[in-house]
Amino acid sequence: MEVPSEAIEALDRATARSKRKSSVNFPIAYVKRGDVLPTAAWLVQSHELRLKMHMTFVMQATAAPYTLPDRPTQSLARWLNLPPASGPRRANDAKKWLIERKLVTRTTLDDGKPGLLLLNPDGSGGSWNGTGASQGTERWVGLPLNFWSNYWILRLSGRSIAVLMALLELNGGSKHLDGEFMDGHRKRQYGLSDDTWTRSTQELEHHKLLRTTPVYWGDDEYERRKRNRYFVVRETLETTPDWSSDWTPRTGS
């Protein structure tokens, strides 16, 4: 992959204008739900561009009521490294889709300029809760700002971004040096297919964002099985990606 210089410059401007200093919080239902498909899985299944665009909108909306300027489609296309010829049309189609699905809506900002307002990620049309507060508790999945400022959103595929968010949720609060196990019930709550998990964990490992440790569990009275522990290497997000090293799925994946 060539270094996307124009997209990097555009993303630099977008993160700087947000004036954000801390991590970007996504409500827990964005990543994991037991009843319906979580937002991240829903978006990436429809098209990865919609996930990346929506996540970048969330990054830019820093405080209640969670609004951001409605940028021209040419700007949106440059943010996401879309080709000049088709990029503006594709960016406009993605934004229209997010509006139609009630994930964002048009609004007017205090300065009278057109803007966008984040809505509840379940598509109900309710208000966005940037802290993840729910029934007296606070639950969210936080992505470091350097996910954008170091351009990982450009480097990773949409499905690997969804898996990365799931693994961050899985490891929330964990202090185990090798990370946490993923059981079948937990995996289903993230709404991502087995093929997506296999390919995405390989991609994350390739970029040194994930360390997977196979371990055996059980005892002599029961069948011993091999399971994986997943550890997100957050320090890698503090560096910029290697643009010269392209990832391809391992044979048989």
Side-chain angles (χ1 to χ4, degrees), residues 155-157 160 199-207 247:
R155 191 65 175 104
L156 297 176
S157 67
S160 290
R199 289 173 176 263
S200 297
T201 52
Q202 287 183 16
E203 183 179 349
L204 294 171
E205 288 171 340
H206 171 82
H207 291 297
W247 169 81

Side-chain angles (χ1 to χ4, degrees), residues 26-48 50-52 54-55 58 97-98 101-104 118-124 128 158 161-163 165 189-192:
F26 293 82
I28 194 73
Y30 200 93
V31 179
K32 184 182 77 171
R33 296 188 67 174
D35 50 351
V36 297
L37 201 62
T39 310
W42 173 34
L43 288 172
V44 79
Q45 286 180 17
S46 68
H47 198 288
E48 70 167 11
R50 295 165 180 166
L51 174 66
K52 291 186 175 187
H54 189 254
M55 290 178 65
V58 176
W97 190 93
L98 294 174
R101 299 309 190 279
K102 297 182 179 180
L103 294 174
V104 296
L118 291 184
L119 299 176
N120 192 300
D122 63 7
S124 65
W128 175 271
I161 292 171
V163 167
M165 295 180 76
Q189 290 181 312
Y190 298 123
L192 300 165

Side-chain angles (χ1 to χ4, degrees), residues 109-244:
L109 304 179
D110 291 341
D111 59 8
K113 295 180 180 180
L116 297 173
L117 171 69
L118 291 184
L119 299 176
N120 192 300
D122 63 7
S124 65
S127 60
W128 175 271
N129 190 327
T131 66
S134 174
Q135 297 180 349
T137 62
E138 291 191 354
R139 300 191 64 210
W140 61 79
V141 178
L143 264 179
L145 182 60
N146 53 30
F147 180 76
W148 288 266
S149 61
N150 285 338
Y151 323 120
W152 285 101
I153 194 166
L154 301 177
R155 191 65 175 104
L156 297 176
S157 67
R159 65 187 175 201
S160 290
I161 292 171
V163 167
L164 175 63
M165 295 180 76
L167 292 173
L168 286 169
E169 193 282 329
L170 175 71
N171 281 278
S174 173
K175 295 182 180 179
H176 197 287
L177 295 179
D178 290 324
E180 292 301 312
F181 290 118
M182 174 74 72
D183 60 37
H185 173 71
R186 189 72 166 267
K187 183 185 287 188
R188 287 190 294 274
Q189 290 181 312
Y190 298 123
L192 300 165
S193 70
D194 289 340
D195 181 68
T196 292
W197 278 103
T198 299
R199 289 173 176 263
S200 297
T201 52
Q202 287 183 16
E203 183 179 349
L204 294 171
E205 288 171 340
H206 171 82
H207 291 297
K208 298 180 172 56
L209 287 164
L210 177 66
R211 186 176 73 241
T212 304
T213 305
V215 296
Y216 287 91
W217 67 284
D219 56 36
D220 292 338
E221 296 183 12
Y222 299 94
E223 181 182 357
R224 287 172 59 81
R225 298 180 181 179
K226 185 168 71 173
R227 296 176 63 183
N228 289 330
R229 283 188 177 273
Y230 297 100
F231 180 85
V232 178
V233 186
R234 293 172 177 266
E235 291 78 8
T236 303
L237 292 173
E238 298 173 6
T239 66
T240 55
D242 180 358
W243 302 102
S244 65

Side-chain angles (χ1 to χ4, degrees), residues 49-50 53 57 70-78 80 82-83 85-100 104 106 116:
L49 176 59
R50 295 165 180 166
M53 179 177 287
F57 286 165
D70 188 3
R71 302 294 182 193
T73 52
Q74 292 89 344
S75 297
L76 302 182
R78 285 193 291 270
L80 300 172
L82 299 178
S86 62
R89 175 188 55 79
R90 291 170 59 190
N92 189 55
D93 288 346
K95 184 172 72 172
K96 286 174 60 178
W97 190 93
L98 294 174
I99 292 171
E100 290 169 357
V104 296
R106 299 185 191 278
L116 297 173

